[in-house]
Amino acid sequence: DIISTVEFNHTGELLATGDKGGRVVIFQREPESKNAPHSQGEYDVYSTFQSHEPEFDYLKSLEIEEKINKIKWLPQHNAAHSLLSTNDKTIKLWKITERDKRPEGYNLKDEEGKLKDLSTVTSLQVPVLKPMDLMVEVSPRRVFANGHTYHINSISVNSDCETYMSADDLRINLWHLAVTDRSFNIVDIKPANMEDLTEVITASEFHPHHCNLFVYSSSKGSLRLCDMRAAALCDKHSKLFEEPEDPSNRSFFSEIISSVSDVKFSHSGRYMLTRDYLTVKVWDLNMEARPIETYQVHDYLRSKLCSLYENDCIFDKFECAWNGSDSVIMTGAYNNFFRMFDRNTKRDVTLEASRESSKPRAVLKPRRVCVGGKRRRDDISVDSLDFTKKILHTAWHPAENIIAVAATNNLYIFQDKVNSEMH
């Protein structure tokens, strides 16, 4: 049941989660009730379906787990919704439709659907649609398989609404949504000799408005912006965003903690948000030399990197998210904490997603981690943080201050108080 991805659709009315068991659960926002017009609609389970099953690669003697790595919604063009879901190897396109009417009064069939004796049919009648209980039907439309040798870490739908890309450690493929049997390789960083491998691709995303631009991040902490108009194979990037390393901060762990685990374009398309192990950074597309903003997520862990390396936590891949107006950013941390940074006021807050503090309508109290010295009553010591509880996956409603936070196998949905500021 461990949640492995969270994604709002383009209107924010639907929220999809994928889990380690290969299931997708879709939540729908209930309309606001007339009795309490100020209470926002809550999210209830809309549909649950099994997206991926465990498989076995007989050629490589490898098990392919069913865990959903990413879900991406397609822009809606009619009453139906569509989404892409992927595990390590196979991407699937699903269609979600509603049925609340059924035809009745067939000429050649009886009420149970059996064919009538034709000699008894003496008159023609017009079938009519009668209301029925709402049924949500999920059907597989396409399966995009055999496109990747390595594990898929991200998928991104293009703004042209016709193509999407999928990225693994060494390659990025471009797919057409209508063509399943072939994809076009647009990035290939695999060296001729694998011993010369110095970095891998960690995440990639299409620009929200320009269908020719995309970015991919690497385990070395760099971002490469590519333009598909320049060449068919985008091995030569248009721009390289990289922050020079401070030699005084160099340590054994420098390379590991500089690896970018997530990259997201802002809604405006002007900025990029990246997450590495200790920080989130905002980059301006017009400035490659360094980020324009750097926010410390949990700087108090800098002294604990050795033990985090030993328990493998240092390899955790945290995601990040923009709010609808690109003014606030959010990312997760340990102890079920998640952090928000207001880019205008430079204020930040640490909040906790836990069952104790999340009774409906309860207001979340800001949390503080104390690193020695004076300690306030509600502070938590850095030594008592629980590293098994971590918030890796977060999502922000595209228009409103509603956030979805996945804490292991629990999904928390928070919203700001009506007509109030974020903090």
Side-chain angles (χ1 to χ4, degrees), residues 67-232:
K67 174 189 158 200
I68 309 290
N69 292 346
K70 285 284 183 279
I71 289 172
K72 288 288 179 229
W73 291 90
L74 271 60
Q76 192 179 359
H77 297 303
N78 51 32
H81 295 274
S82 300
L83 61 80
L84 289 167
S85 63
T86 184
N87 66 351
D88 285 341
K89 296 287 180 189
T90 307
I91 305 153
K92 295 185 179 182
L93 173 63
W94 297 90
K95 185 180 179 185
I96 302 115
T97 50
E98 287 185 358
R99 259 216 333 227
D100 61 354
K101 293 185 175 65
R102 66 164 183 264
E104 279 185 13
Y106 286 108
N107 288 288
L108 303 178
K109 292 179 184 171
D110 60 19
E111 286 170 11
E112 286 158 13
K114 292 179 187 164
L115 276 174
K116 293 181 186 172
D117 179 1
L118 295 183
S119 59
T120 63
V121 179
T122 56
S123 63
L124 285 176
Q125 56 181 340
V126 179
V128 290
L129 288 172
K130 291 276 179 71
M132 60 178 262
D133 289 341
L134 179 69
M135 266 178 65
V136 179
E137 294 178 336
V138 180
S139 52
R141 304 295 291 175
R142 294 190 180 83
V143 177
F144 305 88
N146 307 319
H148 287 273
T149 311
Y150 308 97
H151 291 177
I152 298 170
N153 56 46
S154 46
I155 50 177
S156 177
V157 181
N158 200 346
S159 58
D160 66 9
C161 301
E162 288 187 359
T163 55
Y164 75 92
M165 70 177 171
S166 55
D168 66 27
D169 290 348
L170 298 179
R171 296 189 181 103
I172 300 176
N173 291 338
L174 182 68
W175 301 81
H176 194 286
L177 283 161
V179 181
T180 58
D181 59 352
R182 62 186 177 275
S183 60
F184 190 80
N185 180 231
I186 50 174
V187 172
D188 187 347
I189 64 165
K190 184 180 179 184
N193 182 358
M194 281 296 268
E195 287 178 10
D196 300 332
L197 184 67
T198 57
E199 62 182 332
V200 294
I201 297 166
T202 54
S204 66
E205 191 178 55
F206 268 119
H207 190 280
H209 312 306
H210 301 300
C211 61
N212 52 291
L213 292 180
F214 68 93
V215 67
Y216 69 91
S217 58
S218 85
S219 55
K220 274 194 163 175
S222 59
L223 301 172
R224 288 175 174 84
L225 186 73
C226 300
D227 189 338
M228 292 193 290
R229 295 173 302 186

